[in-house]
Structures are given as structure tokens and as C-alpha cells.
Amino acid sequence: MIPKIETATTEEIKSFQEQKLLELLSYVNQNSPYYKRLFAKKNINIKSIKKLEDLQLLPITSKEDLQKYNDDFLCVPVNKIIDYATTSGTLGEPVTFGLTDNDLERLAYNEAISFDCAGIKEGDVVQMMTTIDRRFMAGLAYFLGLRKMKVGVIRVGAGIPELQWDSILKYKPTHLITVPSFLLKLIEYAENNNIDYNKSSIKGAICIGESLRNQDFSMSILSKKITDKWNIKLFSTYASTEMSTAFTECEHSVGGHHHPELIIIEVLDEHNKPVKNGESGELTFTTIGVEAMPLVRFKTGDIVQLHAESCACGRNTLRVGPVIGRKQQMIKYKGTTLYPPAMNDVLTHFENIESHIIEISTNDLGTDEILIKIAVKNKSEAFLQELKDHFRAKLRVTPKIEFTTKEILNPLIFNPMSRKPITFFDKRKNDY
């Protein structure tokens, strides 16, 4: 069931969001020590904010602000907090998010309409291959959303292909929630253990943490590798703890759908001005309906492009394209601007590469240096040259590449303190 507001006209959606914006500004001005102080300091009269375009009159909120003044963003007494979630902070310490009972209900609603967008319906069974513990908001959100939809849930958690297949064969889930690269490990395990994965119950996978699409929505090398072997439908999602909202693809695979009843979005340039239609910039959002820790004009650090045309699924909402990269992870290398996802795509192209990490450091000249460490099945100088040629052809530059082993890389990639595989290590002296 598509929420009515998502099939409304763009004018109706804008008018609805403007009303919600007025309510939000009044709420944070009354209840948020941080925003109350900020608005007073900047002499901002919230009554002058009437249109979405007026958002530009408000200052942005950064991750550093959130970390530095974490407790001041809380709009409710501590005894109203039902769940504590954390997300990584830019200054080292994690940022805490408190959620009230109403926030958990909003989270469940968000996931329910997001999963519905990806075709999951009552009667389906979903296997969660993500953690629900360690103060991880997403895992809890998935569970709450599926429960709200009256969908069966198998909480297996991350990793262990043998356990995943045991659950798939026993409980016959229709969908998986997973990091897409893990699907390759499931395929490999199935092939080595005579499991006919194309005859399994799995119809689709909701994919998190890694991109499935190129900027033109064609399949990335990773998603092509999966679907060339396993005949399942992959759905890309984009979300963050700070926004407590997800952007999920529908069956047409043309970007993550915006839920206007939950979040206001902007795409800004480096001067915090809206980019022109079709241009990329930093996704910035204002939450709607969050009770404990609402955020106003929060800059995510993610560089994206918005798409405004109506979708064939009937929704008239904005769509968020694949993340081009994170602003802080931008690399200037030999005059070329690069982001880690582009390098990951090149490396994923080669079957010979079993695992890799990308290290960025500052050289003696004060410029960015790239070192890629790879573990391969068959090591040779000819393969190294082929890989370098492919980098030059695709990205116009060739980073330094060296061989290592899975035993060295895997403890770095699969850090027990991290919820996702880590393949990017930024050792630069300066903040970007």
C-alpha cells in the first residue's frame, strides 16, 4: 500500500512538507537546548520560515555539532527514552541517539513502507543477515518494520554462510536483508556444498551498505556478478541513524524513494546553497515526526544526485541516486578527483581478487597518496599489470598496488567492533 502523500502532486507534497516544517521548527525552538540557543544566537525568527525555500535562512547542522553538543539535541526527559542507538562520530567518540516510544513507532512505519516499496508483503518470510545488537539502529528498525507488516522474521545475524543456508533451507524465507557482497559468499558456499541456490525459496534481497547501481541506474559490477549466477531481484537502500529514515528502490530500480511524511531533503554545494537540478551535492535533511532528537538541515557527508521525474510505480516523490562518495573521503590524486566506490568497482571486476583494502595517506609533498592492498587467488606480475591498466582505463590514474594475504586483510576488513566490512582507511594528516 503506497502512502497517499507519495502519489500526491509535487505541489501537494511541497505544501504538506511546509506545514510539517513549521510544526518542527516550533517544536525544536521550544524543546531542543541546541536549536533554541542556535536560533537565538543567529537572531533567527522561526515565524519568517514559511516555505521550503526559506530553509536557506537557517544554519546547517554538522556531524561535529552533533558530537560536540550531543545531549543538547535531546528534546525529551531521559525517562522518555526507550532505546539507545549509536552511530560513528567524526571526532572519535560515537554519537548517541535516544528514541522514544513514538520514535520507535515512526521507525517501524518507515521500514514497513520501505519494504513494501521493495515488494515484501504480508505472508513473506525475511531472513535478517544483519546484527540487531550493539546499539545498531538499522537491525532493530528492520525487525520492527517487518513485525508491523505481519511478516515472518529469521534473525540469523551477520556472516556464517553455513548457518545462513541452514536457515534458508529449513525456514524457506522469500527475502534476505544483507550486505550485497556477502551474497557472493553465499553463492560460493552453495556451489562448494552442492546447494542449488536457484531452486531455493529466495526471490529477492534488500541490500545495505554497498551500492548496486551506477549513476545511470545500470547494474554495478557487484550486482551483475550476483545476478549473473543467482536469479534474484536486488533492491538498493540508503539510510542513516541520524535520519531514522530509509530511501528504498521499488521494482523499477531507479533510485531510493523519498518519504515526504518523514523527512525533508536538500542537495547542497560547498557553500550550503542548493545545487541546480540534475547536479550532485551533499545530501542534507530535516527530520519530520522525530520526538527525541529531531535534526534541522543536517549535512550527511554523502554526495548524491536527486531525480524528480515521476516513477512508473505511481509515486511522485523525489528519488535519491546511488551515493557517489562521502565528502570526507574525496581523494585528489594526480589532478583527478576520486571516491572509494569508484575504486571498489574496478577491484570487484576481477574474480582473482579475494579481498582488498584502500589506504589513503599524505605524502611528503602534502598531497594524497593511494595504496591498495589485495589478496588474490593467483599472484603474478602479469595480473598486477592488467589491474593497473584497468585502473588507468576506468579512472585515468593508477594507484600504488601491492599483494598481501587474506590472513592479513580479513581482521582489518571484518573488525568485530564494526557493523559493516571496512575497506577504506584514511590516514591523511588533514581533515577533509
Side-chain angles (χ1 to χ4, degrees):
M1 178 73 183
I2 302 175
K4 202 173 169 188
I5 189 64
E6 301 189 15
T7 57
T9 65
T10 48
E11 292 78 16
E12 287 168 335
I13 291 172
K14 184 172 185 286
S15 175
F16 170 85
Q17 289 216 304
E18 285 169 347
Q19 179 55 42
K20 292 295 179 187
L21 176 61
L22 300 185
E23 292 169 17
L24 168 76
L25 292 177
S26 173
Y27 179 76
V28 296
N29 198 41
Q30 268 186 308
N31 299 292
S32 167
Y34 176 80
Y35 285 115
K36 196 186 294 185
R37 188 170 65 236
L38 181 67
F39 294 164
K41 186 180 170 187
K42 301 276 187 184
N43 294 319
I44 290 166
N45 176 8
I46 58 165
K47 289 189 167 51
S48 65
I49 314 292
K50 291 184 168 53
K51 303 284 182 191
L52 292 187
E53 292 80 4
D54 297 337
L55 277 167
Q56 291 172 59
L57 302 172
L58 297 171
I60 58 107
T61 302
S62 68
K63 289 200 174 215
E64 287 81 2
D65 295 329
L66 193 52
Q67 188 153 29
K68 204 170 171 185
Y69 307 106
N70 198 171
D71 293 346
D72 286 351
F73 281 87
L74 201 60
C75 292
V76 296
V78 174
N79 66 348
K80 293 277 189 188
I81 302 299
I82 302 293
D83 184 74
Y84 290 86
T86 54
T87 185
S88 55
T90 52
L91 306 174
E93 281 291 310
V95 173
T96 298
F97 273 81
L99 290 93
T100 64
D101 202 44
N102 288 335
D103 290 337
L104 290 173
E105 184 53 43
R106 178 189 176 280
L107 206 56
Y109 169 80
N110 161 72
E111 290 300 338
I113 60 175
S114 296
F115 288 141
D116 183 86
C117 191
I120 294 174
K121 305 293 176 195
E122 185 176 341
D124 283 329
V125 177
V126 175
Q127 185 155 316
M128 278 177 54
M129 299 182 173
T130 58
T131 183
I132 199 169
D133 56 6
R134 299 185 195 166
R135 306 192 300 267
F136 185 36
M137 183 187 281
L140 177 64
Y142 304 147
F143 178 79
L144 292 173
L146 293 166
R147 178 174 178 264
K148 190 177 180 70
M149 297 172 80
K150 298 183 170 60
V151 165
V153 186
I154 309 161
R155 293 178 294 109
V156 181
I160 322 174
E162 183 179 0
L163 181 58
Q164 303 291 356
W165 273 115
D166 179 63
S167 288
I168 291 168
L169 298 173
K170 189 172 184 177
Y171 304 113
K172 299 188 168 34
T174 52
H175 294 78
L176 309 173
I177 301 176
T178 183
V179 175
S181 56
F182 185 67
L183 292 172
L184 292 173
K185 290 191 172 15
L186 281 188
I187 292 169
E188 184 184 14
Y189 182 88
E191 288 175 343
N192 291 338
N193 290 273
N194 300 314
I195 297 169
D196 189 345
Y197 45 88
N198 276 313
K199 285 194 176 164
S200 74
S201 56
I202 305 301
K203 295 190 293 188
I206 313 300
C207 296
I208 62 169
E210 295 167 339
S211 184
L212 295 176
R213 315 273 170 229
N214 299 315
Q215 287 305 307
D216 62 358
F217 299 119
S218 60
M219 291 179 109
S220 68
I221 292 163
L222 175 59
S223 57
K224 202 161 177 357
K225 263 188 172 181
I226 297 162
T227 54
D228 279 352
K229 290 198 164 190
W230 200 352
N231 184 26
I232 57 174
K233 178 83 172 153
L234 304 180
F235 295 90
S236 187
T237 68
Y238 168 74
S240 74
T241 299
E242 293 94 344
M243 65 174 76
S244 298
T245 311
F247 296 81
T248 304
E249 284 183 334
C250 67
E251 70 273 19
H252 300 287
S253 308
V254 286
H257 279 285
H258 170 219
H259 301 310
E261 66 272 48
L262 297 177
I263 201 165
I264 296 167
I265 54 174
E266 307 169 80
V267 173
L268 305 179
D269 63 18
E270 61 270 27
H271 306 296
N272 298 329
K273 300 290 181 200
V275 299
K276 292 176 184 155
N277 281 349
E279 288 185 356
S280 58
E282 188 171 355
L283 186 74
T284 303
F285 67 81
T286 299
T287 51
I288 293 172
V290 172
E291 190 173 40
M293 288 184 70
L295 296 173
V296 179
R297 300 198 87 202
F298 182 83
K299 295 191 85 177
T300 61
D302 292 322
I303 307 300
V304 302
Q305 192 178 329
L306 291 184
H307 300 267
E309 323 80 38
S310 294
C311 183
C313 71
R315 291 173 179 84
N316 293 323
T317 50
L318 292 168
R319 287 168 288 112
V320 175
V323 174
I324 297 164
R326 289 192 60 73
K327 190 179 178 188
Q328 281 190 308
Q329 293 179 352
M330 187 180 86
I331 306 150
K332 279 284 193 185
Y333 187 66
K334 297 180 180 176
T336 299
T337 298
L338 296 174
Y339 290 98
M343 288 187 278
N344 286 332
D345 270 357
V346 172
L347 294 160
T348 306
H349 177 78
F350 293 93
E351 294 281 349
N352 192 26
I353 299 176
E354 294 183 294
S355 51
H356 73 270
I357 64 170
I358 300 164
E359 285 185 358
I360 312 298
S361 57
T362 307
N363 61 25
D364 294 340
L365 300 172
T367 58
D368 292 346
E369 198 62 62
I370 304 171
L371 171 61
I372 296 174
K373 296 179 180 179
I374 56 171
V376 297
K377 294 171 190 168
N378 300 299
K379 195 192 295 188
S380 72
E381 282 304 312
F383 174 71
L384 194 59
Q385 191 55 52
E386 184 189 356
L387 182 54
K388 287 180 176 179
D389 289 345
H390 198 66
F391 262 100
R392 198 174 293 112
K394 292 291 181 185
L395 302 180
R396 303 195 307 276
V397 290
T398 306
K400 187 179 175 190
I401 304 168
E402 65 180 40
F403 290 119
T404 184
T405 64
K406 275 200 298 187
E407 289 70 27
I408 291 171
L409 291 187
N410 283 357
L412 298 171
I413 297 169
F414 303 105
N415 185 324
M417 297 308 291
S418 174
R419 297 154 185 164
K420 299 175 191 169
I422 305 167
T423 57
F424 181 75
F425 296 85
D426 197 337
K427 300 180 173 181
R428 290 177 286 193
K429 295 169 191 166
N430 302 316
D431 286 322
Y432 278 75

